[in-house]
Amino acid sequence: CYGPILLLNDMKDPNATLRHGRKLKITKGAWSIVVDKSLFKLFLCHEGTPYKTFTVTIGTDLKTPAGEFKIGTKNPKPSWYPPQEMIPELRKEAIPIPVPYGHPKNPLGEYWMALDHDAHQGLGIHGTNDPKSLGTKASNGCVRMDNVEVMTIAWSTYPGMIVTIVE
């Protein structure tokens, strides 16, 4: 994953061409994520120390569980597979299931990263189509991020990376 290299070297464009002779900072050690629900913050951590902080949205009514998760599948421009209880209402509005990327009813924004856990299914870290919800309890359990910032996390994560959600 090249995200940490971009962050360490203050590089904004992942497609930028490197100039001959440029020295890059490279990190050794483990990267992880901590989501603090009480602060509405996601911390990208290196060796357990916060390196970069982002404001997030968490689930309403305690729908975002605390615990240790692992990054699973990662999808840019994701379609949304709504929970069963939401499908009848979406069908009444003639909204296709799955809800395609870019549709106003698709809450996933620019990127989806699944949070794998044996006891909790369907959770993830993703962008949002509602940036005003950042810093609130407004999701159905997922961790929502600004669409630009979620790309930094997407570049920096890898399947199996540890994500800890704390109260």
Side-chain angles (χ1 to χ4, degrees), residues 2 30 63 76 96:
Y2 54 86
K63 289 182 181 176

Side-chain angles (χ1 to χ4, degrees), residues 5-153:
I5 295 171
L6 295 173
L7 288 172
L8 290 170
N9 292 282
D10 198 30
M11 298 169 70
K12 306 292 185 218
D13 181 2
N15 299 314
T17 304
L18 291 176
R19 291 185 312 271
H20 179 72
R22 176 163 182 187
K23 293 183 180 183
L24 292 177
K25 298 175 190 171
I26 305 292
T27 180
K28 294 180 182 177
W31 289 83
S32 62
I33 291 174
V34 174
V35 176
D36 188 319
K37 294 179 358 177
S38 68
L39 298 175
F40 300 98
K41 298 293 182 188
L42 180 149
F43 301 94
L44 178 61
C45 300
H46 180 254
E47 292 293 308
T49 301
Y51 182 79
K52 195 150 177 83
T53 305
F54 306 91
T55 299
V56 297
T57 300
I58 62 168
T60 60
D61 303 321
L62 305 174
K63 289 182 181 176
T64 304
E68 187 173 289
F69 299 79
K70 291 183 180 177
I71 295 288
T73 58
K74 296 170 51 172
N75 295 314
K77 301 183 183 328
S79 293
W80 177 50
Y81 295 82
Q84 283 300 125
E85 65 270 11
M86 298 176 88
I87 291 176
E89 186 62 35
L90 293 170
R91 287 215 167 110
K92 281 182 195 173
E93 298 178 41
I95 295 170
I97 307 296
V99 182
Y101 165 76
H103 191 284
K105 292 287 185 173
N106 180 334
L108 301 184
E110 293 298 317
Y111 215 97
W112 163 267
M113 291 156 280
L115 293 176
D116 291 347
H117 191 283
D118 290 340
H120 305 288
Q121 305 302 315
L123 294 176
I125 299 171
H126 61 81
T128 183
N129 63 356
D130 184 13
K132 290 178 278 180
S133 72
L134 294 170
T136 70
K137 295 179 181 180
S139 80
N140 199 38
C142 291
V143 177
R144 293 183 189 169
M145 298 183 67
D146 173 84
N147 276 325
V148 172
E149 293 176 347
V150 78
M151 297 308 293
T152 299
I153 295 301

